Amino acid sequence: MLLFLSVPQPRPPGARTRAGAARVARWRRQRLRLQQLRRLRGLLRGLRGRPGAGSRRRGRMALCGQAAGAASLPSELIVHIFSFLPAPDRLRASASCSHWRECLFYPALWPQLRICLRVSPAEQPRLEFLMRKCGWFVRELRVEFAAENYLSGGGGPGDGGGADPGTGGEEVEALQLSTRWLEVLRTYLELVLCVLVSIRNNRIQQLFEEILSNSRQLKWLSCGFMLEIVTPTSLSSLSNSIANTMEHLSLLDNNIPGNSTLITTVELERFVNLRSLALDFCDFTAEMARVLTDSNHVPLQRLSLLVHNVSVMHKSLDNMPNDEHWKALSRKSTSLRVYIMAFDIKSEDMLKILKPSIPLERIHFDSYITCVSGAIVDLISRQYDKFLTHFILMNDVIDTSGFPDLSDNRNEDPLVLLAWRCTKLSLLAIHGYTVWAHNLIAIARLRGSDLKVLEVTEESIDFDQGELADQDVDPVHNLIEQVSLGLGQPWHAVMDIESLSVFTEPNRHFYREMQSFSEDI
């Protein structure tokens, strides 16, 4: 049933009033319960610097629904939690559920592995399991065999265990000891063989570089969040002929330590036919921008940049392109479009990054510590009104006082101004920021059917006191009806946020969107 086409039916006097009041009362009780739940889950969401998305809250506008449990946490958050635990505690925590067990053997958690074994056949299954899980990626492996399992008394094959061969009983004893020694030795060799067989395939980086060096017609190389498989020396494996014909290059990994980069300016000079590029923002320097504007390079059409707080902490923004560099890039290619994803970036850093001449088509904010300010949203709507098509605003900062309101101390809501100024806006997704119901209706009316996707989580929507005080109108039903009318299609707030990757797996969502963004040339 299309809600915006529904016709009011005759009902007894007072029936609508009672139903609306009961519904709002249920909504208020649900919001109170979820506020309490958020406080309880604050410890998990407050973990600093995790590699990806956090657990997402639900239920502020909800009339029904269950709270998300530990099993619904995204894999990246579980791995980050495991990274703080010693190995025995990781094993115990992984017993919580199958999803947690799957995250236990994430390669970044086990760069070093120390295994203590008894020389016993009973150890074989456990060792095989560990080697099957970790043998292909572990960088440092140490295997120790417990000394108490070796036979005492010099029970080697050439040593009768100190027995006198002239005595029959002692000969039997020596023979038994020798047999036991051989069994122990056989078991020991089998365990060692199990280890060696498992680690002989631990050549991922080498194999990756061999693939690059043996490539003959490679046009598209996309390496995103590949568990440090790609190294700063990987691209040197590509021949000049392949580098000269490469059309797309994606190198994204926010786990590269220190000031290391996956590509240098000198290396980029070889990629003269590049039409699409995806990099960490801190790696995209003014020198790289200058290289891309050289006459021997074809015009770059798609540029995806990942701005991560981890990179910003360890690398400087001083070398980033200035506004003149962006103007030169835009002159070189009038079809250049930029996609930026910002993880937990402070407002003062975003003000440095958002140069006026960036042809910004898509931007995705995801925050776990630092919220985006209304000034940043207002700046984006003014500077990029001719280009912006996608705007995603995610926040999972724990705050018992409620979600931040971007319209505080402002005459106009920045999100409404964004919808008004950015006439090409086709996707708007919001979670964790207060969106007033009347502003949501205004956004739908301003953009109409051109706004193909409007995703707002139920708990982000709030109503002013006037809407709640009107007992003749059901505020939830009225919101759904008015937004649907504005968009020209049925609309509902996002109820099951775990079903949408943009909320639960932002890294993966960005990578997929970057792929489609780059393919659309």
Side-chain angles (χ1 to χ4, degrees), residues 198 389 493:
S198 300
T389 62

Side-chain angles (χ1 to χ4, degrees), residues 37 174 275 358-359 397 401-402 470:
L37 175 63
R275 289 172 169 80
I358 299 177
V397 178
S401 62
D470 188 354

Side-chain angles (χ1 to χ4, degrees), residues 284 303 321-330 338 355 357-358:
F284 186 67
L303 178 60
N322 58 31
D323 201 50
E324 292 302 318
H325 292 116
W326 286 110
K327 288 180 180 179
L329 279 171
S330 297
V338 178
K355 305 299 183 185
S357 298
I358 299 177

